[in-house]
Amino acid sequence: MAAKITFRPPEFTKKHHKPLISLTKRIPTCIYCTTTTKPEIELEFIGPKPDENGNYPMDKTKAVSGEKLLRNIMSENKIELYAAYGKVMNCGGGGSCGTCIVEIIQGKDVLNERTNTELRYLKKKPESWRLACQTIVGNKKNSGKVVVQRFPQWKK
């Protein structure tokens, strides 16, 4: 007959024992280690048309600097980007249709420069107009605020 093998010290084998060491005990963190937080960009999206009181609707969100395109941020936060035609006929963010036009009211310096695609599609448009699918929000090092006008082509 084989002997019973136990991995517990003898003081733990009794029926009613008190453990000497708590397995859920937290390990102290290093006092020299610091946690680094990634810089964030605050975004405000102004709606295209005022409400009955003359106020423009505003959506707000934040994004980690340099990690996402403006189009993806808007999509993830369910902020309307496309007009009726663009909802059906957009390129899905490939930069080949020009339907995701936005206007940067504030914070142009926090975004990447216009891409060659934007230069082609927006050559006769104001400098403040961008394609959301080509616009990177931040550069991983900066933080700040960006104010975006949705559907600038609807403004009078």
Side-chain angles (χ1 to χ4, degrees), residues 91-131:
C91 66
S96 60
C97 69
T99 59
C100 61
I101 295 174
V102 295
E103 182 176 8
I104 307 303
I105 305 296
Q106 177 187 332
K108 177 183 174 185
D109 56 319
V110 178
L111 309 173
N112 64 313
E113 295 292 322
R114 271 189 174 187
T115 63
N116 289 338
T117 301
E118 289 179 286
L119 294 172
R120 185 173 61 248
Y121 278 101
L122 303 172
K123 63 183 163 191
K124 295 182 180 178
K125 303 293 184 194
E127 275 293 312
S128 59
W129 287 25
R130 298 293 303 267
L131 295 179

Side-chain angles (χ1 to χ4, degrees), residues 48-59:
K49 295 182 179 179
D51 60 17
E52 60 276 354
N53 298 324
N55 299 319
Y56 285 85
M58 179 90 63
D59 293 297

Side-chain angles (χ1 to χ4, degrees), residues 5 21 28 30 33 53 63-64 69 86 90 103 107-108 116 118 121:
I5 299 173
I21 300 170
C30 173
C33 303
N53 298 324
V64 175
L69 292 167
N90 73 72
E103 182 176 8
K108 177 183 174 185
N116 289 338
E118 289 179 286
Y121 278 101

Side-chain angles (χ1 to χ4, degrees), residues 4-107:
K4 185 176 176 184
I5 299 173
T6 181
F7 295 118
R8 294 187 287 174
E11 59 268 22
F12 287 104
T13 57
K14 295 183 181 174
K15 207 173 196 180
H16 301 293
H17 68 276
K18 249 184 166 176
L20 298 175
I21 300 170
S22 170
L23 296 177
T24 59
K25 188 174 184 178
R26 296 182 189 260
I27 299 170
T29 57
C30 173
I31 60 169
Y32 300 107
C33 303
T34 58
T35 56
T36 57
T37 57
K38 295 180 180 181
E40 284 188 330
I41 307 293
E42 293 178 50
L43 295 124
E44 292 183 0
F45 298 92
I46 302 170
K49 295 182 179 179
D51 60 17
E52 60 276 354
N53 298 324
N55 299 319
Y56 285 85
M58 179 90 63
D59 293 297
K60 295 181 181 186
T61 190
K62 291 182 180 182
V64 175
S65 181
E67 291 192 357
K68 293 188 180 179
L69 292 167
L70 188 57
R71 177 189 188 274
N72 297 348
I73 294 168
M74 293 177 76
S75 177
E76 290 168 5
N77 289 281
K78 301 191 182 350
I79 298 170
E80 191 174 15
L81 173 61
Y82 298 107
Y85 174 79
K87 287 178 184 175
V88 180
M89 302 301 289
N90 73 72
C91 66
S96 60
C97 69
T99 59
C100 61
I101 295 174
V102 295
E103 182 176 8
I104 307 303
I105 305 296
Q106 177 187 332

